Amino acid sequence: MSSGQARMIAQAFLPDRIRDGYWDYWYSRTKLGSDPLYPGVCEALRGTTAPLLDLGCGLGLLAHALRGHGIGLPYRGVDNDAGKIARARLASTRVGLQDAGFDVVDLAREYPAHRGSVTLLDVLQFVPPDAQSRALDAAIAMLVPGAKLVIRTGLADGSGRAHVTRAVDVFSRVLGWMNAGPSRYPDADALRARFEAAGLRYEFTPLYGRTPFNNWRVVATK
């Protein structure tokens, strides 16, 4: 995003009191201004009409990005981090996001009922292989005709970018920003096989932009 767009969205995360700190503000502003994730996801979802479920939504930046790109899909974000959900709700209320809601859900135990499109952004690598399979199966089962499953993830391809990605994900856990460290990065061929078995069309697009990370946008369409 442009620096102006990033700054405008990040203002929703300014603290009410200085002592609360500016971490969410600077994190949001930096991520939106440097990571091609959100423009890439918005591009993938543009033209769809099904409601969107954002699994592992964190602070809910995708909801703000969608509205900033003029995409008014009904949005629901869920995450197991109650603190991030509380801050996501506050930021959403501050700017009056329409048709956007946030809930605390432990995806290790349950998946919310949903029919429509699904996003899994920087989530899969942080859950064990069996949980990855459950997450993908659950997301695919939620799709309706014309809906999309949009994934952003690193891939296990042995590249230098893959090693950098793992190192930064580990560091995020050390800092406490993520409540889990990386487990296993998905294999591209395994994802393709799963999508083909489900009768989905799919595409893999590099989404690392000017970053050193091995990030890919994976879009599967019913």
Side-chain angles (χ1 to χ4, degrees), residues 105-174:
V105 176
D106 184 355
L107 299 177
R109 298 186 178 187
E110 62 176 328
Y111 289 91
H114 176 71
R115 299 291 290 166
S117 292
V118 182
T119 50
L120 277 164
L121 308 179
D122 298 332
V123 170
L124 289 180
Q125 63 263 40
F126 293 105
V127 298
D130 58 337
Q132 283 187 24
S133 295
R134 290 196 301 271
L136 288 167
D137 288 343
I140 289 171
M142 295 174 184
L143 299 178
V144 298
K148 294 183 177 182
L149 168 59
V150 184
I151 300 169
R152 208 278 282 269
T153 185
L155 294 176
D157 57 15
S159 65
R161 285 182 176 275
H163 294 303
V164 172
T165 302
R166 173 172 284 278
V168 172
D169 284 344
V170 169
F171 189 56
S172 296
R173 173 62 179 132
V174 172

Side-chain angles (χ1 to χ4, degrees), residues 16-213:
D16 290 326
R17 301 168 298 183
I18 293 177
R19 69 186 185 194
D20 291 335
Y22 285 77
W23 171 260
D24 286 352
Y25 169 77
W26 286 113
Y27 169 80
S28 302
R29 183 170 171 178
T30 301
K31 188 168 183 65
L32 289 166
S34 63
D35 192 337
L37 168 63
Y38 298 104
V41 175
C42 289
E43 177 187 4
L45 291 171
R46 189 177 298 281
T48 63
T49 58
L52 175 65
L53 176 64
D54 187 8
L55 296 172
C57 67
L59 294 174
L61 291 180
L62 178 58
H64 296 263
L66 287 167
R67 299 302 183 258
H69 280 78
I71 301 173
L73 298 174
Y75 170 97
R76 182 187 181 194
V78 300
D79 201 287
N80 65 357
D81 189 323
K84 288 182 181 177
I85 289 296
R87 279 132 58 202
R89 288 172 175 164
L90 177 60
S92 173
T93 300
R94 279 176 172 168
V95 297
L97 286 187
Q98 298 297 312
D99 261 341
F102 301 90
D103 295 293
V104 178
V105 176
D106 184 355
L107 299 177
R109 298 186 178 187
E110 62 176 328
Y111 289 91
H114 176 71
R115 299 291 290 166
S117 292
V118 182
T119 50
L120 277 164
L121 308 179
D122 298 332
V123 170
L124 289 180
Q125 63 263 40
F126 293 105
V127 298
D130 58 337
Q132 283 187 24
S133 295
R134 290 196 301 271
L136 288 167
D137 288 343
I140 289 171
M142 295 174 184
L143 299 178
V144 298
K148 294 183 177 182
L149 168 59
V150 184
I151 300 169
R152 208 278 282 269
T153 185
L155 294 176
D157 57 15
S159 65
R161 285 182 176 275
H163 294 303
V164 172
T165 302
R166 173 172 284 278
V168 172
D169 284 344
V170 169
F171 189 56
S172 296
R173 173 62 179 132
V174 172
L175 287 177
W177 180 247
M178 300 300 297
N179 54 20
S183 178
R184 186 186 74 177
Y185 293 84
D187 175 78
D189 288 338
L191 287 175
R192 292 185 183 99
R194 187 179 294 273
F195 297 148
E196 289 171 3
L200 304 178
R201 302 192 309 274
Y202 60 84
E203 62 177 7
F204 286 67
T205 306
L207 203 63
Y208 33 74
R210 293 173 291 180
T211 75
F213 309 122

